[in-house]
Amino acid sequence: MRLTFPHMGNLWISVKTMLDSLGAPVVCAPLTTRRTLSLGVRYAPEGACLPLKLNVGNFLEAAELGADTVIMAGGCGPCRFGYYAQVEQAVLDDLGVSLRFLVLEPPEGSARELVGRIRAITDARSWWQVLGAVRRGFVVARCLDVLERRAQSLRPREVRPGAADQALAAAEKIMAGAWSSGAAPAFRRARALLEAVAIEPERPVLRVGVVGEIFTLLEPFVNLDLMQRLGRLGVEVSRSIYLGEWINEHLFLGLYPGIHSARGVRKASLPYLGHFVGGHGQETVGSAVLFGEKKLDGVIQLLPFTCMPEIVAQHVLPSVSRDLGIPVLTLVLDEQTGDAGLTTRLEAFVDMLWGNRGGICA
Amino acid sequence: MKTYLGIDVGSVSANFVLVDEAGEVLEAVYLRTRGRPLEVVQEGVAALAKTADHGAVAGVGTTGSGRVLAGLVVGADVVRNEITAHAAATARLIPGARTILEIGGQDSKLIIISPGGTVADFAMNTVCAAGTGSFLDQQAARLGIPIEEFGAIALEAQTPVRIAGRCAVFAETDMIHKQAMGYGLPEILAGLCEALVRNYLNNLGKGKDIRDKVVFQGGVAANAGMRRAFERVLKRAVHVPPHHGVMGALGAALLARAQTGPGARTGFKGFDLANRDYRTGCFNCNGCANQCEVVEITQASTVLARWGDRCGRWSRAPLVSGA
């Protein structure tokens, strides 16, 4: 058995840590590139949302490297993600690419099915070993969250343009090798790289919250390096979703203590969106409310073209914007890799936010 | 007398204006971009060179989708996005303006101006170019009428026919059907204008607070049929300013004026751009599977800039000639 999994930003680092710790053979698909996109767009259904197309591309590229089994998360509720694994398996079957799918879904009712799937991956290893491996992967995800948060605060203040991104890339590389050396020493070395970035702490920066659908938020190939772009435009980014928080919420049912939970965020959304609409629709609205209450300069919402939960959120956000006086920009992402339109919108948004602070105007 | 040069290089047209210290337009040049932004900048500057006072230029601003390329070639002091540029021009030149409807070749914008003259909100069309100038151009060409006469013909309509406006393909299908049914040309053109206005407002106007005074600018503002359609749907007066076609360039010039205060030196490279040998080249980087298409701008075998790479390998690299 040779395992692979879909890419979503730096998710691969913690999944690989977990599987390596179990001694399970892993085939990491190459990071998502235009080739992945071309493969996905060619073979996935035209009307599917973009993450599904990229998943298919990842799986085809992993199969080329010898993967035979896919593990991925499942979902439920009114979002197409719930059917991703089934549709993807059908697409691959039609292509004659044989990949077995193991879908890990949050236990609902009987946990036996889930246990069976985990057992298929872990073989005869003890539950103690399995828990240890899952914990390791999770700790690495939490470390990556801290490093990314730090980079988001460094980018708009760095003295040498690009320094924070270089440090972050090097730090992530260290974390990717953490399963053998242990997460704690790796994290210390990784954090030291970011702390060494020279900054101008007094430089005025804008503060913008980025909310929306998780895949577009976490995958820089899809959001065209939005976090880096905003950093370069002098914006300190706060995000509504981080990987470790999502894992805690999604797989551990929010039980891991001491972690920012989505429950408070959903509560904040209630005056505007009173019930679950699938995906992260409610979290998008709730996070925008919380960012507004924290007096951030603005909010940017990301969604893949045709994403239903985020379309619901998009039409609720103008009320949040009006009530809390926080400007909102919605960006719809699809397979275009040309960035002129994105650059124009971001620059105009940033100009507007400075204008709100009484800064530049003609 | 000091003058300021504003350049707006868009997908369809490129506009050049020269303004005086007070912001009055001294000269305006309108050219078709024809997909050759570099050549069109050289042409436009050469056209202005005939009448301009060469020593008087105190600042240059560029905007539009070709703003970075244009800015590099002319030596711009300010390179700004179209939304900021349009808002700067309108807020400065049209007192009381609160809403800007702007329709260009490939994109359309809705900008809300605060009472203080800053941008309060904006929207830009996203995934579809239905309702932009290119589509009107294309339909005028299909019907064999010059785009300049489109508006006047649409105004003759007694009862505009209903055309589907959500998608350019749907609209064209509907138009062909209505023509075949025997509806008159003015009625069909007026119907198309109303469809495009509905599409524009449905896409850009949702959740936006449209207030008087409403100003309509961009190339499409020359179309009287579109202006009337906006007035009918919005039920209020829509103003088309005298320099509606070059407001972006005008804004860029005004931003350059604001940027280059007393004592500041402009980066303007002079009016003899046309005689310089600028070239753009393109190569595929083989550093990873992204295969980024890297663009390289050279002048007499000296590399001026590179861009188009995701990782910064080329755009951040020191510039060496003949790399």
Side-chain angles (χ1 to χ4, degrees), chain B residues 81-149:
Chain B
N81 64 84
E82 306 88 288
I83 290 164
T84 305
H86 273 279
T90 310
R92 162 73 183 73
L93 301 174
I94 301 158
R98 295 292 300 277
T99 306
I100 302 173
L101 315 169
E102 199 272 343
I103 306 186
Q106 278 296 342
D107 59 38
S108 44
K109 309 168 194 76
L110 173 67
I111 308 171
I112 308 292
I113 308 273
S114 71
T118 58
V119 177
D121 200 359
F122 68 88
M124 235 174 129
N125 65 327
T126 49
V127 281
C128 174
T132 60
S134 298
F135 183 56
L136 287 172
D137 265 355
Q138 187 198 332
Q139 290 310 311
R142 189 175 66 82
L143 297 165
I145 53 168
I147 188 69
E148 295 76 15
E149 290 168 27

Side-chain angles (χ1 to χ4, degrees), chain A:
Chain A
M1 187 173 62
R2 291 162 66 80
L3 292 166
T4 192
F5 51 89
H7 276 300
M8 180 167 75
N10 56 23
L11 169 73
W12 68 276
I13 299 176
S14 46
V15 176
K16 191 170 183 302
T17 303
M18 180 183 81
L19 295 174
D20 281 342
S21 313
L22 278 173
V26 190
V27 179
C28 247
L31 287 180
T32 299
T33 63
R34 288 189 191 182
R35 180 171 184 265
T36 322
L37 177 66
S38 303
L39 286 170
V41 168
R42 180 161 171 201
Y43 295 116
E46 194 276 332
C49 36
L50 188 65
L52 184 138
K53 297 180 184 180
L54 291 174
N55 283 180
V56 168
N58 287 151
F59 298 151
L60 288 169
E61 290 189 314
E64 287 170 2
L65 300 177
D68 57 22
T69 305
V70 168
I71 52 169
M72 66 181 291
C76 46
C79 158
R80 282 173 280 179
F81 180 60
Y83 281 119
Y84 265 32
Q86 287 74 13
V87 173
E88 287 161 1
Q89 173 122 52
V91 170
L92 295 169
D93 283 348
D94 286 350
L95 288 172
V97 177
S98 74
L99 283 172
R100 186 162 67 120
F101 275 67
L102 294 172
V103 185
L104 305 179
E105 285 171 294
E108 245 181 286
S110 160
R112 258 173 79 185
E113 213 182 319
L114 179 65
V115 170
R117 286 179 191 151
I118 294 174
R119 268 282 163 233
I121 303 167
T122 59
D123 235 351
R125 288 171 198 89
S126 73
W127 281 106
W128 189 245
Q129 280 175 300
V130 174
L131 278 178
V134 170
R135 198 186 146 272
R136 263 196 188 178
F138 179 60
V139 167
V140 166
R142 300 281 300 152
C143 292
L144 291 168
D145 289 354
V146 174
L147 295 171
E148 267 188 282
R149 277 205 165 89
R150 187 73 193 125
Q152 281 164 193
S153 124
L154 292 173
R155 281 189 193 114
R157 301 181 173 90
E158 65 193 3
V159 174
R160 187 173 62 81
D165 285 323
Q166 276 176 2
L168 181 65
E172 288 183 339
K173 214 170 168 183
I174 292 175
M175 292 313 296
W179 72 274
S180 51
S181 58
F187 179 61
R188 274 196 296 277
R189 277 189 295 142
R191 201 171 50 180
L193 289 177
L194 284 165
E195 295 312 324
V197 172
I199 56 166
E200 261 180 58
E202 303 305 315
R203 192 187 290 171
V205 301
L206 290 170
R207 294 192 306 150
V208 169
V210 181
V211 302
E213 186 274 333
I214 181 168
F215 191 87
T216 39
L217 220 60
L218 296 188
E219 178 53 62
F221 178 81
V222 173
N223 64 39
L224 304 171
D225 301 310
L226 185 84
M227 311 306 152
Q228 299 183 14
R229 284 167 190 273
L230 285 170
R232 257 179 267 153
L233 289 170
V235 174
E236 178 170 2
V237 172
S238 300
R239 274 184 359 214
S240 61
I241 299 178
Y242 289 88
L243 187 60
E245 289 167 9
W246 177 74
I247 293 175
N248 181 42
E249 203 63 35
H250 214 74
L251 292 180
F252 305 162
L253 304 174
L255 296 175
Y256 203 91
I259 292 179
H260 169 81
S261 146
R263 252 164 292 175
V265 177
R266 280 198 292 269
K267 201 170 155 220
S269 79
L270 291 181
Y272 298 94
L273 185 56
H275 59 90
F276 180 63
V277 292
H280 294 90
Q282 248 190 321
E283 283 84 344
T284 292
V285 173
S287 299
V289 170
L290 295 177
F291 287 141
E293 286 171 355
K294 282 187 198 153
K295 302 283 173 224
L296 263 62
D297 294 286
V299 165
I300 295 178
Q301 182 204 15
L302 298 182
L303 63 139
F305 187 40
T306 74
C307 172
M308 189 277 297
E310 293 298 328
I311 288 172
V312 174
Q314 180 188 358
H315 292 83
V316 174
L317 287 176
S319 315
V320 178
S321 172
R322 205 168 28 242
D323 292 353
L324 297 169
I326 186 165
V328 177
L329 174 71
T330 295
L331 298 172
V332 182
L333 298 160
D334 197 47
E335 57 174 290
Q336 65 272 55
T337 48
D339 57 11
L342 179 70
T343 308
T344 297
R345 287 167 180 80
L346 292 181
E347 286 181 11
F349 193 61
V350 165
D351 280 355
M352 180 175 94
L353 299 185
W354 281 119
N356 289 349
R357 282 209 191 167
I360 44 158
C361 61

